[in-house]
Amino acid sequence: MSEKNFSNYIKDTLPKECFIHKIENGLTSSGFPDLYLLYKSIPILIELKTPIKRNGKTKDNTLFKLEKSQIAWHLKYNKFKGVSFILHQVPLNSNLFLFDGYKSALYQATKLEKPNPIIQAPLKECLEVARKIVLEKMLLVS
């Protein structure tokens, strides 16, 4: 599935209580995540990724590539206490992988510690977990 088709899938399966704004390339700074979601009054920034394919075949379900501008954005956003996520599509499965955006960017910048998914689940469960993480971070910062 392409990232465009993945984005359409997300829009079609979002819970009714979720506002979505797809960020179009060129309208924001380079590296800004694909989706801005407002889920139960909590903002969630998500970068959509599909698996890396080699010779037409998926090598590893948890492998995806961030562009340099995306790496820089996630690292800087975290520096200012922001929370972001990578939502990764799993082929032949309705489950999605939700990753911490900062840990994913740090791994791709350094190759030191590959991040584990926060959760592998259907979309609504991923959003519930992301919402909880953002809310906890907001409470800690304030």
Side-chain angles (χ1 to χ4, degrees):
M1 180 184 298
S2 70
E3 281 191 26
K4 181 178 180 176
N5 289 342
F6 185 30
S7 177
N8 290 336
Y9 166 78
I10 296 297
K11 284 191 262 184
D12 292 343
T13 56
L14 276 176
K16 289 181 178 146
E17 62 272 26
C18 190
F19 168 81
I20 182 173
H21 182 79
K22 171 92 169 88
I23 309 297
E24 300 298 330
N25 290 340
L27 298 180
T28 62
S29 64
S30 184
F32 196 85
D34 296 319
L35 300 177
Y36 170 83
L37 302 173
L38 193 59
Y39 184 58
K40 297 180 181 177
S41 303
I42 300 298
I44 303 171
L45 292 168
I46 295 179
E47 178 66 38
L48 299 177
K49 288 296 172 187
T50 54
I52 295 173
K53 291 188 175 185
R54 301 253 161 73
N55 300 324
K57 294 185 180 185
T58 301
K59 184 177 180 187
D60 177 350
N61 282 342
T62 63
L63 217 56
F64 54 86
K65 183 180 185 314
L66 294 174
E67 301 298 326
K68 287 181 182 179
S69 60
Q70 293 169 328
I71 293 169
W73 190 94
H74 286 281
L75 294 176
K76 189 168 187 176
Y77 193 65
N78 178 267
K79 180 180 175 183
F80 289 92
K81 308 289 188 237
V83 181
S84 59
F85 301 94
I86 310 294
L87 192 60
H88 184 57
Q89 178 254 344
V90 181
L92 307 173
N93 191 325
S94 62
N95 283 345
L96 304 170
F97 288 114
L98 182 70
F99 288 89
D100 179 290
Y102 169 74
K103 289 178 182 176
S104 297
L106 188 62
Y107 168 71
Q108 295 212 4
T110 65
K111 300 295 185 215
L112 291 178
E113 186 177 341
K114 186 176 178 184
N116 292 316
I118 298 167
I119 187 173
Q120 180 184 356
L123 179 60
K124 187 168 182 173
E125 289 177 49
C126 288
L127 292 178
E128 290 289 347
V129 168
R131 180 184 182 278
K132 181 180 177 189
I133 291 168
V134 172
L135 188 56
E136 287 172 357
K137 182 82 170 219
M138 291 168 76
L139 293 172
L140 285 174
V141 171
S142 52

